[in-house]
Coordinates of all heavy atoms in Angstrom, one line a residue:
M262 N 33.3 28.8 -14.5 CA 31.9 29.0 -14.8 C 31.1 28.6 -13.6 O 31.3 27.7 -12.9 CB 31.7 28.0 -16.0 CG 30.3 28.0 -16.5 SD 30.1 26.9 -17.9 CE 30.2 28.1 -19.2
N263 N 30.0 29.4 -13.5 CA 29.1 29.2 -12.4 C 28.1 28.2 -12.7 O 27.3 28.4 -13.7 CB 28.5 30.6 -12.1 CG 27.7 30.5 -10.9 OD1 27.4 29.4 -10.3 ND2 27.2 31.6 -10.3
E264 N 27.9 27.1 -12.0 CA 27.0 26.0 -12.3 C 25.5 26.5 -12.1 O 24.7 26.0 -12.7 CB 27.2 24.9 -11.4 CG 28.5 24.1 -11.9 CD 28.6 22.8 -11.0 OE1 27.7 22.3 -10.4 OE2 29.8 22.4 -10.9
T265 N 25.3 27.5 -11.3 CA 23.9 27.9 -11.2 C 23.3 28.7 -12.4 O 22.2 28.8 -12.5 CB 23.8 28.9 -9.9 OG1 24.6 30.0 -10.2 CG2 24.1 28.1 -8.7
N266 N 24.3 29.1 -13.3 CA 23.8 29.8 -14.5 C 23.7 28.9 -15.7 O 23.3 29.2 -16.7 CB 24.8 30.8 -14.8 CG 24.8 32.0 -13.9 OD1 23.8 32.2 -13.1 ND2 25.9 32.7 -13.7
S267 N 24.0 27.6 -15.5 CA 23.9 26.7 -16.6 C 22.5 26.3 -16.8 O 21.7 26.2 -15.9 CB 24.7 25.3 -16.4 OG 24.2 24.7 -15.3
P268 N 22.0 26.1 -18.1 CA 20.7 25.8 -18.4 C 20.3 24.4 -17.9 O 21.1 23.5 -17.8 CB 20.6 25.9 -19.9 CG 21.9 25.8 -20.4 CD 22.8 26.1 -19.3
E269 N 19.0 24.2 -17.6 CA 18.5 22.9 -17.2 C 18.5 22.0 -18.3 O 18.2 22.4 -19.4 CB 17.1 23.1 -16.6 CG 16.9 23.8 -15.3 CD 17.5 23.0 -14.2 OE1 17.3 21.8 -14.2 OE2 18.2 23.6 -13.3
P270 N 18.9 20.7 -18.1 CA 18.8 19.8 -19.3 C 17.3 19.6 -19.7 O 16.3 19.6 -18.9 CB 19.4 18.5 -18.7 CG 19.4 18.7 -17.2 CD 19.4 20.2 -16.9
E271 N 17.1 19.3 -21.0 CA 15.7 19.1 -21.4 C 15.2 17.8 -21.0 O 15.9 16.8 -21.0 CB 15.7 19.1 -22.9 CG 15.9 20.6 -23.6 CD 15.8 20.5 -25.0 OE1 15.0 19.8 -25.6 OE2 16.5 21.4 -25.6
A272 N 14.0 17.7 -20.5 CA 13.3 16.5 -20.0 C 13.0 15.7 -21.3 O 12.6 16.4 -22.4 CB 12.1 16.8 -19.2
P273 N 13.1 14.4 -21.3 CA 12.7 13.6 -22.5 C 11.2 13.8 -22.8 O 10.4 14.0 -21.8 CB 12.9 12.2 -22.1 CG 13.6 12.2 -20.8 CD 13.6 13.6 -20.3
T274 N 10.8 13.9 -24.0 CA 9.4 14.1 -24.4 C 8.8 12.7 -24.4 O 9.5 11.7 -24.6 CB 9.3 14.8 -25.7 OG1 9.9 14.1 -26.7 CG2 9.8 16.2 -25.7
E275 N 7.5 12.7 -24.5 CA 6.7 11.4 -24.6 C 7.0 10.7 -25.9 O 7.1 9.5 -26.1 CB 5.2 11.6 -24.5 CG 4.7 11.2 -23.1 CD 3.2 11.3 -23.1 OE1 2.5 10.7 -23.7 OE2 2.8 12.1 -22.2
D276 N 7.2 11.6 -27.0 CA 7.4 11.0 -28.4 C 8.9 11.2 -28.7 O 9.3 11.7 -29.7 CB 6.6 11.8 -29.4 CG 6.5 11.0 -30.6 OD1 6.8 9.9 -30.7 OD2 6.1 11.7 -31.6
A277 N 9.7 10.7 -27.8 CA 11.3 10.8 -28.0 C 11.6 10.0 -29.3 O 12.6 10.5 -29.9 CB 12.0 10.2 -26.8
G278 N 10.9 9.0 -29.7 CA 11.2 8.2 -30.9 C 11.0 9.1 -32.1 O 11.6 8.8 -33.2
A279 N 10.3 10.2 -32.0 CA 10.2 11.1 -33.3 C 11.5 11.7 -33.6 O 11.6 12.1 -34.8 CB 9.2 12.1 -32.9
K280 N 12.4 11.7 -32.8 CA 13.8 12.1 -33.0 C 14.6 11.1 -33.8 O 15.6 11.5 -34.4 CB 14.6 12.6 -31.8 CG 14.0 13.8 -31.1 CD 14.8 14.2 -29.9 CE 14.8 13.2 -28.8 NZ 15.5 13.6 -27.6
T281 N 14.2 10.0 -33.9 CA 14.9 8.9 -34.5 C 14.8 9.0 -36.1 O 13.7 9.1 -36.5 CB 14.4 7.5 -34.0 OG1 14.6 7.5 -32.6 CG2 15.3 6.4 -34.6
D282 N 15.8 8.9 -36.8 CA 15.8 9.0 -38.2 C 15.1 7.7 -38.7 O 15.5 6.6 -38.5 CB 17.2 9.1 -38.7 CG 17.3 9.4 -40.2 OD1 16.2 9.1 -40.9 OD2 18.4 9.7 -40.7
P283 N 14.0 7.9 -39.5 CA 13.3 6.8 -40.0 C 14.2 5.8 -41.0 O 14.0 4.6 -41.0 CB 12.1 7.3 -40.9 CG 12.1 8.7 -40.5 CD 13.4 9.2 -39.8
R284 N 15.2 6.5 -41.6 CA 16.0 5.7 -42.5 C 16.9 4.8 -41.6 O 17.3 3.6 -42.0 CB 17.0 6.6 -43.3 CG 16.2 7.4 -44.3 CD 17.0 8.4 -45.0 NE 17.5 9.4 -44.0 CZ 18.2 10.4 -44.3 NH1 18.7 10.6 -45.4 NH2 18.6 11.2 -43.3
L285 N 17.3 5.2 -40.4 CA 18.0 4.3 -39.5 C 17.3 3.2 -39.1 O 17.8 2.1 -39.1 CB 18.4 5.1 -38.2 CG 19.0 4.3 -37.1 CD1 20.4 3.7 -37.5 CD2 19.2 5.2 -35.9
L286 N 16.0 3.4 -38.8 CA 15.1 2.2 -38.4 C 15.0 1.3 -39.5 O 14.9 0.0 -39.2 CB 13.8 2.8 -37.9 CG 13.8 3.7 -36.7 CD1 12.3 4.2 -36.4 CD2 14.4 3.1 -35.5
E287 N 14.9 1.7 -40.7 CA 14.8 0.8 -41.8 C 16.0 -0.1 -42.1 O 15.9 -1.2 -42.5 CB 14.5 1.6 -43.1 CG 13.1 2.2 -43.2 CD 13.0 3.2 -44.4 OE1 14.0 3.2 -45.3 OE2 12.0 3.8 -44.4
M288 N 17.2 0.4 -41.6 CA 18.5 -0.4 -41.8 C 18.7 -1.3 -40.7 O 19.5 -2.3 -40.9 CB 19.6 0.7 -41.9 CG 19.6 1.5 -43.2 SD 21.0 2.5 -43.5 CE 21.3 3.2 -41.9
L289 N 18.1 -1.1 -39.6 CA 18.3 -2.1 -38.4 C 17.7 -3.4 -38.6 O 16.6 -3.5 -39.2 CB 17.8 -1.4 -37.1 CG 18.6 -0.2 -36.6 CD1 17.9 0.4 -35.5 CD2 20.0 -0.5 -36.3
V290 N 18.4 -4.4 -38.1 CA 17.9 -5.7 -38.1 C 17.9 -6.3 -36.6 O 18.7 -5.8 -35.8 CB 18.6 -6.7 -39.1 CG1 18.3 -6.3 -40.5 CG2 19.9 -6.8 -38.8
C291 N 17.3 -7.3 -36.4 CA 17.3 -8.0 -35.1 C 18.8 -8.5 -34.8 O 19.3 -9.3 -35.7 CB 16.3 -9.2 -35.0 SG 16.3 -10.1 -33.5
P292 N 19.3 -8.2 -33.7 CA 20.7 -8.7 -33.4 C 20.8 -10.2 -33.1 O 21.9 -10.8 -33.1 CB 21.1 -7.8 -32.2 CG 19.8 -7.4 -31.5 CD 18.8 -7.3 -32.7
V293 N 19.6 -10.7 -32.8 CA 19.5 -12.2 -32.5 C 19.4 -13.0 -33.8 O 20.1 -14.0 -34.1 CB 18.3 -12.5 -31.5 CG1 18.3 -14.0 -31.3 CG2 18.6 -11.7 -30.3
T294 N 18.4 -12.6 -34.6 CA 18.0 -13.5 -35.8 C 18.4 -12.8 -37.1 O 18.4 -13.5 -38.1 CB 16.5 -13.7 -35.8 OG1 15.9 -12.4 -36.1 CG2 16.0 -14.3 -34.6
R295 N 18.8 -11.6 -37.2 CA 19.1 -10.8 -38.3 C 18.0 -10.6 -39.2 O 18.0 -10.3 -40.4 CB 20.2 -11.5 -39.1 CG 21.5 -11.6 -38.4 CD 22.3 -10.3 -38.2 NE 23.5 -10.6 -37.6 CZ 24.0 -10.0 -36.5 NH1 23.3 -9.0 -35.9 NH2 25.1 -10.2 -36.0
A296 N 16.7 -10.8 -38.7 CA 15.5 -10.6 -39.4 C 15.1 -9.1 -39.3 O 15.5 -8.4 -38.4 CB 14.4 -11.5 -38.8
P297 N 14.2 -8.7 -40.2 CA 13.8 -7.3 -40.3 C 13.0 -7.0 -38.9 O 12.4 -7.9 -38.3 CB 12.9 -7.2 -41.5 CG 13.2 -8.3 -42.3 CD 13.8 -9.4 -41.4
L298 N 13.0 -5.7 -38.5 CA 12.2 -5.3 -37.3 C 11.0 -4.4 -37.8 O 11.1 -3.8 -38.9 CB 13.1 -4.5 -36.5 CG 14.4 -5.2 -35.9 CD1 15.3 -4.2 -35.3 CD2 13.9 -6.2 -34.8
T299 N 10.0 -4.4 -37.0 CA 8.8 -3.5 -37.1 C 8.9 -2.4 -36.0 O 9.0 -2.7 -34.9 CB 7.5 -4.4 -37.0 OG1 7.6 -5.5 -37.9 CG2 6.4 -3.5 -37.3
Y300 N 8.6 -1.3 -36.4 CA 8.6 -0.2 -35.5 C 7.2 0.0 -34.9 O 6.2 0.2 -35.7 CB 9.1 1.2 -36.3 CG 9.0 2.5 -35.5 CD1 9.5 2.6 -34.2 CD2 8.4 3.6 -36.0 CE1 9.4 3.6 -33.5 CE2 8.3 4.7 -35.3 CZ 8.9 4.8 -34.0 OH 8.8 5.9 -33.3
D301 N 7.1 0.0 -33.5 CA 6.0 0.3 -32.9 C 6.0 1.6 -32.3 O 6.6 1.7 -31.3 CB 5.7 -0.8 -31.8 CG 4.3 -0.7 -31.1 OD1 3.8 0.4 -31.0 OD2 3.9 -1.7 -30.6
R302 N 5.4 2.6 -33.0 CA 5.5 4.1 -32.5 C 4.8 4.2 -31.2 O 5.4 4.9 -30.4 CB 4.8 4.9 -33.5 CG 4.8 6.3 -33.1 CD 4.4 7.2 -34.2 NE 5.7 7.8 -34.6 CZ 5.8 8.7 -35.5 NH1 4.8 9.0 -36.2 NH2 7.0 9.3 -35.8
A303 N 3.7 3.7 -30.9 CA 3.1 3.8 -29.6 C 3.8 3.3 -28.5 O 3.8 4.0 -27.4 CB 1.6 3.1 -29.7
K304 N 4.6 2.2 -28.6 CA 5.3 1.7 -27.4 C 6.8 2.1 -27.6 O 7.5 1.8 -26.7 CB 5.2 0.1 -27.4 CG 3.8 -0.3 -27.1 CD 3.8 -1.8 -27.0 CE 2.4 -2.3 -26.7 NZ 2.3 -3.8 -26.7
Q305 N 7.2 2.8 -28.6 CA 8.6 3.2 -28.8 C 9.5 1.9 -28.7 O 10.4 1.9 -28.0 CB 9.0 4.3 -27.8 CG 8.4 5.6 -28.1 CD 8.7 6.1 -29.5 OE1 9.8 6.4 -29.8 NE2 7.7 6.3 -30.3
E306 N 9.2 1.0 -29.6 CA 10.0 -0.2 -29.6 C 10.2 -0.7 -31.1 O 9.4 -0.3 -31.9 CB 9.2 -1.4 -28.9 CG 9.0 -1.2 -27.5 CD 8.2 -2.3 -26.8 OE1 7.3 -2.8 -27.4 OE2 8.5 -2.5 -25.6
L307 N 11.3 -1.4 -31.3 CA 11.5 -2.2 -32.5 C 11.1 -3.6 -32.3 O 11.9 -4.2 -31.3 CB 12.9 -1.9 -32.9 CG 13.1 -0.6 -33.5 CD1 14.7 -0.4 -33.7 CD2 12.4 -0.2 -34.7
V308 N 10.3 -4.2 -33.0 CA 9.8 -5.6 -32.7 C 10.4 -6.5 -33.7 O 10.3 -6.4 -34.9 CB 8.2 -5.6 -32.8 CG1 7.7 -6.9 -32.4 CG2 7.7 -4.6 -31.7
S309 N 10.9 -7.6 -33.1 CA 11.3 -8.8 -33.9 C 10.4 -9.9 -33.7 O 10.4 -10.6 -32.6 CB 12.7 -9.2 -33.4 OG 13.2 -10.5 -34.1
S310 N 9.4 -10.1 -34.6 CA 8.4 -11.1 -34.5 C 9.1 -12.5 -34.5 O 8.7 -13.5 -33.8 CB 7.4 -11.1 -35.5 OG 7.9 -11.1 -36.9
K311 N 10.3 -12.7 -35.2 CA 10.9 -14.0 -35.3 C 11.6 -14.4 -34.0 O 11.5 -15.5 -33.5 CB 12.0 -14.0 -36.4 CG 12.6 -15.2 -36.7 CD 13.4 -15.2 -38.0 CE 13.9 -16.6 -38.3 NZ 14.8 -16.5 -39.6
A312 N 12.2 -13.4 -33.3 CA 12.9 -13.6 -32.0 C 11.9 -13.5 -30.9 O 12.2 -13.8 -29.7 CB 14.0 -12.7 -31.8
K313 N 10.6 -12.9 -31.1 CA 9.7 -12.7 -30.2 C 10.3 -11.7 -29.0 O 10.1 -11.9 -27.8 CB 9.1 -13.9 -29.5 CG 8.4 -14.9 -30.4 CD 7.7 -15.9 -29.8 CE 7.1 -17.0 -30.7 NZ 6.5 -16.7 -32.0
L314 N 10.9 -10.6 -29.5 CA 11.5 -9.6 -28.6 C 11.1 -8.3 -29.1 O 11.0 -8.0 -30.3 CB 13.0 -9.8 -28.6 CG 13.6 -11.0 -28.0 CD1 15.2 -11.1 -28.2 CD2 13.4 -11.1 -26.5
A315 N 11.1 -7.3 -28.2 CA 10.9 -5.9 -28.5 C 12.0 -5.1 -28.0 O 12.3 -5.1 -26.7 CB 9.5 -5.5 -27.9
F316 N 12.7 -4.3 -28.8 CA 13.9 -3.5 -28.4 C 13.5 -2.1 -28.1 O 12.8 -1.5 -29.1 CB 14.9 -3.7 -29.4 CG 15.5 -5.0 -29.6 CD1 15.0 -5.8 -30.6 CD2 16.5 -5.5 -28.9 CE1 15.4 -7.2 -30.8 CE2 16.9 -6.8 -29.0 CZ 16.4 -7.7 -30.0
P317 N 13.7 -1.6 -27.0 CA 13.3 -0.1 -26.6 C 14.0 0.9 -27.5 O 15.2 0.7 -27.9 CB 13.5 0.0 -25.2 CG 14.7 -0.9 -25.0 CD 14.5 -2.2 -25.9
I318 N 13.2 2.0 -27.7 CA 13.9 3.2 -28.2 C 13.8 4.3 -27.1 O 12.8 4.6 -26.5 CB 13.2 3.7 -29.5 CG1 13.2 2.7 -30.5 CG2 13.7 5.1 -29.8 CD1 12.4 3.0 -31.7
R319 N 15.1 4.6 -26.5 CA 15.1 5.6 -25.4 C 15.8 6.9 -25.9 O 16.9 6.9 -26.5 CB 15.8 5.0 -24.3 CG 15.2 3.8 -23.7 CD 15.9 3.3 -22.4 NE 15.3 2.0 -22.1 CZ 16.1 1.0 -21.7 NH1 17.5 1.0 -21.8 NH2 15.5 -0.2 -21.5
D320 N 15.1 8.0 -25.7 CA 15.7 9.3 -26.1 C 16.0 9.3 -27.5 O 17.0 9.9 -27.9 CB 16.8 9.7 -25.2 CG 16.4 9.9 -23.9 OD1 15.3 10.3 -23.5 OD2 17.3 9.6 -22.9
G321 N 15.2 8.6 -28.4 CA 15.5 8.6 -29.9 C 16.6 7.6 -30.2 O 16.8 7.5 -31.5
L322 N 17.1 6.8 -29.3 CA 18.1 5.8 -29.7 C 17.6 4.5 -29.5 O 17.2 4.1 -28.4 CB 19.4 6.0 -28.8 CG 20.1 7.4 -29.0 CD1 21.1 7.5 -27.9 CD2 20.7 7.6 -30.3
P323 N 17.7 3.6 -30.6 CA 17.3 2.2 -30.4 C 18.4 1.4 -29.6 O 19.6 1.6 -29.7 CB 17.4 1.7 -31.8 CG 17.4 2.8 -32.7 CD 18.0 4.0 -31.9
I324 N 17.9 0.7 -28.6 CA 18.7 -0.1 -27.7 C 18.7 -1.5 -28.2 O 17.7 -2.2 -28.0 CB 18.3 0.0 -26.2 CG1 18.0 1.5 -25.8 CG2 19.3 -0.7 -25.3 CD1 19.3 2.3 -25.9
M325 N 19.7 -1.9 -28.9 CA 19.8 -3.2 -29.6 C 20.5 -4.2 -28.9 O 21.2 -5.0 -29.5 CB 20.4 -3.0 -31.1 CG 19.6 -1.9 -31.8 SD 17.9 -2.3 -32.0 CE 17.9 -3.7 -33.1
L326 N 20.3 -4.3 -27.6 CA 20.9 -5.4 -26.7 C 19.8 -6.3 -26.3 O 18.7 -5.9 -25.8 CB 21.4 -4.7 -25.4 CG 22.6 -3.7 -25.7 CD1 23.0 -3.0 -24.4 CD2 23.8 -4.3 -26.4
E327 N 20.1 -7.6 -26.5 CA 19.1 -8.6 -26.1 C 18.8 -8.6 -24.7 O 17.7 -8.8 -24.2 CB 19.8 -10.0 -26.5 CG 18.7 -11.1 -26.3 CD 19.3 -12.5 -26.7 OE1 20.5 -12.6 -27.1 OE2 18.6 -13.5 -26.5
S328 N 19.7 -8.1 -23.8 CA 19.5 -8.1 -22.4 C 18.6 -6.9 -22.0 O 17.9 -6.9 -20.9 CB 20.8 -7.9 -21.6 OG 21.4 -6.7 -22.0
E329 N 18.4 -6.0 -22.9 CA 17.6 -4.9 -22.7 C 16.1 -5.1 -23.3 O 15.2 -4.4 -23.1 CB 18.1 -3.6 -23.2 CG 19.3 -3.1 -22.5 CD 19.0 -2.5 -21.1 OE1 18.0 -1.9 -21.0 OE2 19.8 -2.8 -20.2
A330 N 15.9 -6.1 -24.2 CA 14.7 -6.4 -24.9 C 13.7 -7.0 -24.0 O 13.9 -7.6 -23.0 CB 15.0 -7.3 -26.1
R331 N 12.4 -6.6 -24.4 CA 11.3 -7.2 -23.7 C 10.7 -8.4 -24.5 O 10.6 -8.4 -25.6 CB 10.2 -6.1 -23.6 CG 8.9 -6.4 -22.9 CD 7.9 -5.3 -22.9 NE 7.5 -4.9 -24.3 CZ 6.5 -5.5 -24.9 NH1 5.9 -6.5 -24.4 NH2 6.1 -5.0 -26.1
A332 N 10.5 -9.4 -23.8 CA 9.9 -10.6 -24.4 C 8.5 -10.4 -24.7 O 7.8 -9.9 -23.9 CB 10.1 -11.9 -23.4
L333 N 8.1 -10.8 -25.9 CA 6.7 -10.7 -26.4 C 5.9 -11.8 -25.9 O 6.3 -13.0 -25.9 CB 6.7 -10.6 -27.9 CG 7.4 -9.4 -28.5 CD1 7.3 -9.5 -30.0 CD2 6.8 -8.1 -28.0
D334 N 4.7 -11.5 -25.4 CA 3.8 -12.6 -24.9 C 3.2 -13.2 -26.1 O 2.9 -12.6 -27.1 CB 2.7 -11.9 -24.0 CG 3.2 -11.3 -22.7 OD1 4.3 -11.8 -22.3 OD2 2.7 -10.4 -22.3
E335 N 3.0 -14.5 -26.0 CA 2.3 -15.2 -27.0 C 0.8 -15.1 -26.8 O 0.4 -15.4 -25.8 CB 2.8 -16.7 -27.1 CG 4.2 -16.8 -27.5 CD 4.5 -18.2 -28.0 OE1 3.6 -18.8 -28.6 OE2 5.6 -18.6 -27.9
D336 N 0.1 -14.6 -27.9 CA -1.3 -14.5 -27.7 C -2.1 -15.6 -28.3 O -1.7 -16.1 -29.3 CB -1.8 -13.1 -28.4 CG -1.2 -12.0 -27.5 OD1 -1.1 -12.0 -26.4 OD2 -0.9 -11.0 -28.3

């Protein structure tokens, strides 16, 4: 197979989270506290207010690793 004839991979869209099944998001819980998460569509994150962490959604996939989470600032 000639590699020059292979199609270009699709670039991620800005709204990659739109590909995420909403039923999946409803079933997920915080891996740290086991508390429910809130979906922030604008930031493409799942937010755990109890753990004060935001877990990213990349290419439609929630990244549920504490090491990948963003700490929430206290306002």
